Amino acid sequence: MGNTVSNPLLQYPLRIHQGTAYNYMEGSRHAPTILFVHGVGLDQSLWHPWLNRLVPDFSLITLDLFGHGQSEDRSGLSRIEDFVKQIDELVEFLCIDRFALVGFSLGALISLAYASMRTKLSHLVLLHPVYRRNQDQLRQVQDRLKIALEQGPDAYIEIALKRWFTESYRHAREDIMSDLREIFRRNSDGYLQAYRLFAEADQEMRTYNGGQIECPVLVITGSDDAGSTPTMSEQLARDLPYARHIINPGHRHMAPLEFSETLCEQTRSFLIETP
């Protein structure tokens, strides 16, 4: 399935299809499929702690969004929908008819847009999404975007690490902090395009009709996530037909990594127990 490349931040080989770097781990016979979408500035290594916990009960697909990781920069990215089309290309290539979609942060917005436009999903899991940000929240993300545009993709990584993780985890896992610094150092103009879309996504997201989503939805965030707040997740879950939400106490934004076991088990339970 295409050429293979090696990413030292991942512990498994990646394949490339039409500019998208992806990994496909097949579970046991007839195992349901989950596709994971990472957040802005990151890559599919975010999901590495989840994979061994979920195989062989599920088949797993991870990908690098355009402009991230080993995927190509794609000029002209102007809408969240452009990443929806990236998912379309990959699942069509892999002949996946039905799957669960798990998205984090920007990946949650992409997943929400996908679910409102497509009917292939069995389940939707939105991890730490932004939703209808107020003026102060919009100003803050625009300020961070300005720093990235003026000073480079990794200009605010130290500030971000303090926002994303608890202090105890940052000090205990310097190896993870170093990996994230390296990921951000490798980011290019494609990442900046994606970051602009994330910062300005609220207006576009209002054009997608979440009321048309027919699959079960789980929305998760942390009580201490200042960017993807509990209020956002509660409102989003109310606005979707078949949604419920979980607010994890003490979790900050990068909970899918810091508290990977907790979120992975919450996701597993939802996928298995919700018809």
Side-chain angles (χ1 to χ4, degrees):
M1 292 186 181
N3 298 322
T4 299
V5 297
S6 179
N7 181 342
L9 300 176
L10 297 170
Q11 297 179 27
Y12 48 82
L14 299 180
R15 297 176 173 87
I16 301 289
H17 173 69
Q18 293 186 355
T20 294
Y22 72 96
N23 183 53
Y24 184 23
M25 298 178 65
E26 293 191 72
S28 56
R29 183 175 174 83
H30 303 308
T33 299
I34 310 173
L35 189 150
F36 295 89
V37 189
H38 63 78
V40 67
L42 303 171
D43 63 21
Q44 60 189 284
S45 63
L46 171 70
W47 307 112
H48 186 259
W50 293 53
L51 301 184
N52 288 339
R53 294 190 177 105
L54 294 173
V55 166
D57 295 331
F58 300 90
S59 293
L60 308 173
I61 305 170
T62 59
L63 79 160
D64 290 336
L65 294 172
F66 290 136
H68 294 73
Q70 299 287 349
S71 287
E72 68 180 23
D73 277 355
R74 186 69 66 92
S75 62
L77 295 175
S78 60
R79 292 175 59 82
I80 298 294
E81 186 177 350
D82 294 328
F83 293 111
V84 170
K85 294 175 181 176
Q86 182 183 14
I87 294 174
D88 280 338
E89 291 176 357
L90 185 59
V91 298
E92 181 178 353
F93 170 68
L94 295 173
C95 300
I96 306 297
D97 292 325
R98 194 158 181 81
F99 60 97
L101 190 55
V102 177
F104 166 66
S105 194
L106 171 63
L109 295 184
I110 295 167
S111 300
L112 183 59
Y114 186 96
S116 72
M117 301 166 66
R118 306 289 188 262
T119 59
K120 287 190 171 187
L121 296 186
S122 63
H123 298 79
L124 176 65
V125 180
L126 305 173
L127 305 177
H128 295 249
V130 296
Y131 187 65
R132 299 194 175 183
R133 290 173 282 201
N134 61 35
Q135 289 302 310
D136 184 55
Q137 291 161 344
L138 288 170
R139 178 189 57 77
Q140 291 178 33
V141 71
Q142 288 287 345
D143 287 347
R144 294 194 292 270
L145 171 63
K146 183 178 180 182
I147 292 172
L149 290 172
E150 292 179 350
Q151 300 180 33
D154 64 341
Y156 73 98
I157 183 61
E158 298 306 323
I159 296 172
L161 294 178
K162 292 179 181 179
R163 289 178 52 246
W164 288 347
F165 296 100
T166 63
E167 184 176 2
S168 60
Y169 186 83
R170 282 192 294 110
H171 291 307
R173 296 305 307 266
E174 178 57 33
D175 57 329
I176 299 294
M177 303 304 109
S178 295
D179 283 352
L180 288 168
R181 292 185 187 103
E182 179 62 22
I183 288 171
F184 269 75
R185 275 194 289 269
R186 294 182 180 195
N187 282 332
S188 60
D189 290 343
Y191 150 71
L192 294 175
Q193 290 184 73
Y195 197 4
R196 185 187 296 278
L197 290 181
F198 177 70
E200 301 173 352
D202 289 66
Q203 183 174 354
E204 180 184 349
M205 293 305 297
R206 288 176 183 269
T207 67
Y208 304 121
N209 185 359
Q212 293 182 336
I213 297 175
E214 297 181 350
C215 67
V217 183
L218 176 62
V219 185
I220 302 177
T221 197
S223 64
D224 296 353
D225 190 335
S228 303
T229 66
T231 299
M232 291 179 186
S233 289
E234 291 164 1
Q235 181 63 57
L236 177 56
R238 283 197 297 269
D239 289 347
L240 299 176
Y242 307 104
R244 62 186 182 92
H245 71 277
I246 296 173
I247 309 299
N248 287 312
H251 289 198
R252 296 188 181 184
H253 192 60
M254 201 66 80
L257 189 55
E258 180 173 356
F259 299 99
S260 59
E261 184 174 359
T262 297
L263 269 67
C264 182
E265 289 309 309
Q266 289 171 340
T267 298
R268 175 199 291 275
S269 296
F270 170 69
L271 296 179
I272 291 174
E273 298 171 5
T274 307

